[in-house]
């Protein structure tokens, strides 16, 4: 790879997404648990979510989203220099899900790796891609946010199971005209909050055993109200920080694409940033929280629905387990 100092800007030149067909509506949970549609809709905004078939893994849905993004960018898989997959539900610890996608799509010239930043993963991935493009170290990078959260969700735990869904989104990052594309990217972490949202067993701290299985420790555990408080604070802060980095203000935002964890969190960020509701993309009602896939899918849906116009200032903002957070300010090219 050669360094090319002429490259001043990196932006998104294609997007794609894929959603599994099976829909779990709130009535599915009403029939099985002590919960109801009214509670779920009023506390979260979620009406339904998607669930991958038993035989389907994260790399499968990531592959479908990847092919769509590559087509949208008018590229061939061999054009890619790098594939980054953000996920907390990799097919397995290794090889990486990115390497499996690389094989599936025949991206023979790409290096491939996964990143683990939970729901902020797609933002982290875009931020990494931006740096490789701007240094001239890569020409085309595919960033994917993909999850099959149904595989790590305890369907007997009403505190978590109504929230999560499966899906995949992807974007191709490449050089764009100066003053376009990613104007600023900001990422942050606070590992002290790691226990608030985690998958305790199956790693090196607590390897899989009969005991961990019996105690249901291979499922997501979350302190919902603590994560909620953190989210309310960090969403606005993170967006403002990235805007400040590129000399813009919240009044400059044309479109906001927030992480889809809870409609009340989205509304709070909307209020703080003083954005009209029709300038905020929401699909949580259809898909629930898809962790790293949420912003990726939302970006593709906003793009395909022609919500983003050339020159628009678009802000992506998210937060998640780690704890992690991040935001990106884009001038849509
Ligand atoms: O992607 C990043 C990670 N995740 C998040 O961002 C999630 C952040 N947190 C949240 O979105 C919210 O905290 C939740 C939606 C998880 C919970 O909403 P809440 O308004 O914070 O409710 P709560 O946790 O304070 O619970 C209120 C009550 C509890 O009952 P008691 O103890 O007051 O009797 C819960 O047991 O609601 C109960 N509850 C439910 N009731 C019916 C919890 N889940 C359910 C449910 N159906 N599914």
């Amino acid at each position: 790879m050669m360094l090319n100092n002429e490259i001043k800007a990196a932006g998104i030149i294609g997007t794609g997404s894929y959603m599994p067909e099976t829909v779990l509506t709130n009535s599915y949970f009403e029939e099985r648990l002590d919960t109801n549609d009214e509670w779920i809709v009023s506390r979260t905004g979620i009406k339904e979510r998607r669930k991958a078939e038993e035989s389907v893994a994260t790399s499968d849905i990531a592959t479908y989203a990847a092919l769509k993004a590559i087509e949208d960018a008018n590229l061939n898989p061999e054009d890619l220099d790098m594939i980054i997959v953000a996920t907390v539900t990799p097919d397995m610890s290794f090889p990486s899900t990115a390497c499996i996608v690389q094989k599936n799509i025949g991206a023979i010239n790409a290096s491939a790796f996964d990143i683990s930043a939970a729901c902020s993963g797609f933002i982290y991935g875009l931020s990494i891609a931006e740096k490789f493009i701007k240094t001239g170290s890569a020409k085309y990078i595919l960033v994917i946010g993909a999850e099959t959260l149904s595989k790590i969700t305890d369907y007997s735990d009403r505190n978590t199971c109504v929230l999560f869904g499966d899906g995949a989104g992807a974007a191709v990052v490449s050089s764009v005209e100066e003053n376009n594309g990613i104007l600023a990217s900001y990422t942050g972490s606070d590992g002290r909050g790691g226990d608030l949202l985690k998958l305790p067993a199956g790693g090196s701290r607590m390897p899989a055993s009969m005991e961990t299985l019996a105690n249901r420790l291979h499922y997501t555990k979350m302190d919902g109200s603590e994560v909620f408080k953190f989210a309310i604070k960090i969403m606005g802060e993170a967006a403002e920080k990235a805007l400040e980095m590129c000399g813009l203000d919240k009044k400059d935002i044309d479109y906001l694409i927030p992480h889809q964890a809870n409609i009340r969190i989205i509304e709070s960020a909307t209020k703080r940033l003083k954005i009209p509701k029709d300038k905020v993309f929401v699909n949580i009602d259809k898909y629930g929280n898809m962790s790293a896939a949420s912003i990726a899918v939302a970006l593709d849906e906003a793009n395909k629905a022609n919500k983003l116009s050339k020159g628009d200032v678009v802000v992506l903002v998210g937060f998640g387990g780690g704890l992690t957070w991040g935001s990106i300010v884009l001038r849509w090219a």
Side-chain angles (χ1 to χ4, degrees), residues 72-90:
D72 193 44
N74 281 318
L75 295 176
N76 295 309
E78 309 89 72
D79 297 324
L80 297 175
D81 298 307
M82 185 175 283
I83 300 172
I84 303 172
V85 173
T87 187
V88 294
T89 47

Side-chain angles (χ1 to χ4, degrees), residues 219-253:
Y219 293 121
T220 301
K221 310 288 175 199
M222 179 171 72
D223 181 336
S225 57
E226 285 304 311
V227 176
F228 189 89
K229 282 185 228 159
F230 155 71
I232 294 282
K233 182 174 165 291
I234 207 70
M235 287 278 270
E237 262 180 40
E240 282 169 5
K241 177 86 179 170
L243 285 162
E244 191 187 309
M245 285 167 73
C246 56
L248 294 176
D249 185 82
K250 53 192 175 194
K251 67 176 176 345
D252 298 316
I253 301 174

Side-chain angles (χ1 to χ4, degrees), residues 35 39 43 119 158-159 197 222 224 259 261-262 264 289 319:
T35 188
W39 191 96
R43 309 300 275 186
C119 311
R158 71 174 185 172
N159 290 299
L197 180 50
M222 179 171 72
H259 174 47
N262 187 314
R264 292 183 290 142
N289 180 351
F319 66 93

Side-chain angles (χ1 to χ4, degrees), residues 29 33-40 42-46 118-120 149 157-164 196-197 220 222-232 259-265 284 289-292 294 318-321 323-324:
F29 297 96
L33 294 166
D34 180 14
T35 188
N36 56 76
D37 180 59
E38 198 279 326
W39 191 96
I40 302 171
S42 64
R43 309 300 275 186
T44 72
I46 302 167
C119 311
S120 315
L149 294 180
D157 176 11
R158 71 174 185 172
N159 290 299
T160 53
C161 71
V162 300
L163 305 173
F164 300 119
L196 298 179
L197 180 50
T220 301
M222 179 171 72
D223 181 336
S225 57
E226 285 304 311
V227 176
F228 189 89
K229 282 185 228 159
F230 155 71
I232 294 282
H259 174 47
Q260 310 280 314
N262 187 314
I263 193 68
R264 292 183 290 142
I265 296 171
I284 188 172
N289 180 351
M290 301 183 288
S291 190
S294 276
F319 66 93
L323 298 168
T324 58

Side-chain angles (χ1 to χ4, degrees), residues 272-288:
R272 174 167 170 169
L273 297 169
K274 298 193 169 70
I275 311 172
K277 275 188 176 175
D278 64 336
K279 296 284 178 192
V280 181
F281 193 81
V282 174
N283 62 7
I284 188 172
D285 51 325
K286 293 190 295 178
Y287 304 141

